[in-house]
């Protein structure tokens, strides 16, 4: 009987171990399924690279079942790319997004998770000289407004820094006064700069015809060609500026400035932020190429945690200004939270904007 009891006990113990192993495997399988992610391939504007690389963003996306493999490109350059195998394109504004959607037969409306106005970053000396000569107004201790009409008049006249009163005190302010931008033929920010400038130059009317382009082309050419070689992305231009080797005036996204201010770990030096009184806002727009791409775009727009993280990176979530206002309340010396005194210029059609950029670079 003892021998039989021992055998039975051994069988029960083995059975228990087997059951535990099976149960453990089932639990592991269930956990794997719960944490399994769908890999989404995205081509994005470079200004969103830091957002998608953020460990907290990666974690928040994984919690919703997504892994994003992002590659960067100029927004307008995306049109020339072979997007086979990608789930979404994520340019920096609606115009290139609409063009991509039409080209690839994507249904609208397109998800627009967040946006960012364009701003001009300046060294304090340059901002003060502009203000003293009526080209800007400094209405915050570290920021103000760029007067686009006056600035364009100076560009038409090929004004130099040496011709502006007060500039003689600053040896770094020499040569023609201009705003450094990205290449408008490939990059969104450069193209939107032309959109805003042409609107003002065209008597506050959006360029909509060959005649409008002809009328504004000489000035647009001046604005671009005075710069010489242009950067392909605002990331590179902003890094140069913050490192002290960039131009006195550089067009970037507000999101880049807000993110830098929030990080606080890097000195912003004599950074001054000028909001053009007529500007073009960059609506970061998702072009879904697959169902997974659309689902991700809608998640970015609606998920509270992802919206919070977008604000961390300086973006303004669509439809909720309070989120941005609260997150940037410590930086109102630099940032125009309510965009007071800033008007939005309509953006020409993609066809017109392409032609305008081509002739400006011409």
């Amino acid at each position: 009987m003892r021998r039989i009891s021992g055998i039975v006990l051994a069988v029960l113990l083995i059975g228990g171990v087997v059951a535990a192993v099976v149960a453990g495997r089932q639990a592991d399988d269930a956990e794997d399924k719960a944490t399994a992610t769908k890999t989404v391939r995205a081509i994005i504007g470079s200004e969103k690279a830091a957002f998608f690389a953020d460990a907290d963003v990666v974690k928040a996306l994984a919690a919703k079942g997504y892994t994003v493999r992002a590659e960067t490109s100029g927004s307008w350059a995306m049109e020339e790319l072979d997007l086979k195998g990608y789930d979404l394109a994520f340019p920096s504004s609606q115009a290139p997004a609409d063009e991509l959607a039409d080209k690839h037969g994507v249904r609208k409306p397109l998800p627009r998770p967040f946006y960012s106005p364009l701003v001009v970053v300046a060294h304090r000396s340059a901002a003060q000289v502009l203000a003293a000569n009526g080209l800007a107004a400094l209405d915050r201790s570290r920021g103000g407004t760029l007067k686009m009409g006056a600035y364009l008049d100076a560009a038409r006249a090929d004004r130099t820094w040496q011709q502006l009163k007060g500039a003689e005190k600053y040896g770094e302010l020499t040569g023609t006064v201009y705003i450094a931008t990205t290449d408008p033929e490939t990059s969104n920010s450069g193209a939107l700069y032309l959109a805003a400038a042409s609107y003002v130059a065209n008597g506050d009317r959006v360029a909509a015809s060959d005649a409008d382009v002809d009328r504004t082309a000489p000035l647009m050419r001046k604005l671009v060609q005075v710069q010489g070689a242009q950067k392909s992305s605002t990331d590179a231009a902003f890094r140069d500026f913050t490192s002290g080797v960039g131009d006195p005036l550089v067009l970037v996204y507000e999101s880049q400035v807000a993110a830098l201010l929030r990080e606080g770990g890097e000195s912003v030096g004599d950074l001054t932020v000028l909001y053009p009184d007529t500007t073009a806002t960059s609506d970061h727009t998702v072009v879904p190429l697959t169902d997974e791409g659309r689902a991700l775009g809608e998640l970015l727009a609606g998920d509270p945690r992802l919206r919070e993280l977008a604000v961390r990176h300086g973006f303004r979530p669509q439809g909720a200004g309070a989120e941005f206002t609260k997150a940037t309340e410590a930086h109102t010396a630099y940032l125009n939270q309510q965009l007071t005194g800033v008007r939005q210029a309509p953006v020409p059609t993609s066809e017109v904007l392409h032609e305008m950029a081509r002739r400006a670079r011409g």
Side-chain angles (χ1 to χ4, degrees):
M1 288 297 293
R2 288 198 193 98
R3 186 176 298 171
I4 293 171
S5 297
I7 293 171
V8 171
L9 181 60
V11 170
L12 290 173
L13 288 172
I14 292 170
V17 171
V18 171
V21 170
V22 171
R25 285 177 180 169
Q26 289 175 337
D28 288 343
D29 289 345
E31 184 177 352
D32 288 344
K33 289 177 181 177
T35 58
T37 59
K38 308 175 188 72
T39 298
V40 174
R41 289 189 67 198
I43 187 78
I44 64 171
S46 62
E47 70 291 327
K48 293 183 285 290
F51 172 77
F52 282 104
D54 186 329
D56 288 334
V57 173
V58 172
K59 183 178 178 181
L61 288 169
K64 297 296 183 178
Y66 291 97
T67 297
V68 177
R69 299 281 181 255
E71 301 167 37
T72 61
S73 167
S75 293
W76 286 101
M78 290 180 190
E79 182 186 349
E80 306 302 322
L81 299 178
D82 179 2
L83 297 182
K84 184 177 180 181
Y86 287 93
D87 295 285
L88 63 90
F90 201 174
S92 303
S93 70
Q94 191 169 357
D98 284 341
E99 187 143 317
L100 283 168
D102 292 341
K103 179 178 179 179
H104 294 277
V106 176
R107 66 178 173 84
K108 298 177 182 179
L110 305 175
R112 288 188 297 156
F114 38 74
Y115 67 99
S116 184
L118 289 166
V119 299
V120 174
V121 290
H123 295 295
R124 189 66 180 171
S125 56
Q128 289 175 332
V129 170
L130 292 180
N133 289 270
L135 304 181
L138 299 180
D139 47 29
R140 296 183 301 282
S141 62
R142 302 304 297 269
T145 304
L146 178 73
K147 299 180 180 180
M148 280 293 285
Y151 167 72
L152 293 180
D153 286 342
R156 284 190 190 92
D158 299 316
R159 296 280 293 279
T160 64
W161 286 104
Q162 292 92 322
Q163 292 172 322
L164 301 182
K165 62 182 180 182
E168 68 278 359
K169 294 184 293 185
Y170 307 104
E172 70 276 14
L173 298 179
T174 61
T176 305
V177 178
Y178 68 86
I179 297 170
T181 73
T182 55
D183 182 348
E185 287 196 286
T186 61
S187 174
N188 176 69
S189 59
L192 290 184
Y193 173 65
L194 294 186
S198 65
Y199 178 77
V200 176
N202 198 37
D204 292 347
R205 297 188 303 273
V206 64
S209 65
D210 290 341
D212 291 336
V213 174
D214 289 342
R215 188 179 305 112
T216 59
L219 178 57
M220 299 304 104
R221 192 175 301 115
K222 279 191 174 186
L223 295 177
V224 170
Q225 294 189 354
V226 69
Q227 301 179 45
Q230 293 175 290
K231 300 289 186 183
S232 60
S233 75
T234 53
D235 274 356
F238 192 52
R239 281 196 304 270
D240 283 353
F241 179 86
T242 56
S243 67
V245 299
D247 294 285
L249 306 172
V250 181
L251 187 82
V252 300
Y253 294 107
E254 179 196 58
S255 58
Q256 294 170 292
V257 178
L260 177 67
L261 293 172
R262 189 185 184 284
E263 287 167 8
E266 182 179 347
S267 172
V268 297
D270 64 349
L271 171 71
T272 304
V273 185
L274 302 176
Y275 287 73
D277 58 14
T278 302
T279 191
T281 294
S282 182
D283 285 307
H284 296 268
T285 306
V286 173
V287 183
L289 303 171
T290 65
D291 289 342
E292 292 297 348
R294 183 170 292 276
L296 179 61
E298 292 171 351
L299 183 68
L300 290 169
D303 181 76
R305 177 57 175 160
L306 288 168
R307 289 171 65 91
E308 175 188 337
L309 292 169
V311 171
R312 176 194 290 183
H313 285 269
F315 299 110
R316 295 175 181 249
Q318 294 285 357
E323 292 172 271
F324 182 84
T325 300
K326 181 178 179 181
T328 59
E329 59 188 0
H331 307 300
T332 54
Y334 297 89
L335 303 177
N336 184 347
Q337 291 180 309
Q338 306 303 323
L339 300 179
T340 304
V342 176
R343 61 176 180 167
Q344 173 70 27
V347 177
T349 65
S350 296
E351 182 180 1
V352 170
L353 200 51
H354 272 307
E355 178 62 12
M356 190 181 293
R358 185 189 67 78
R359 293 182 61 175
R361 290 283 293 165

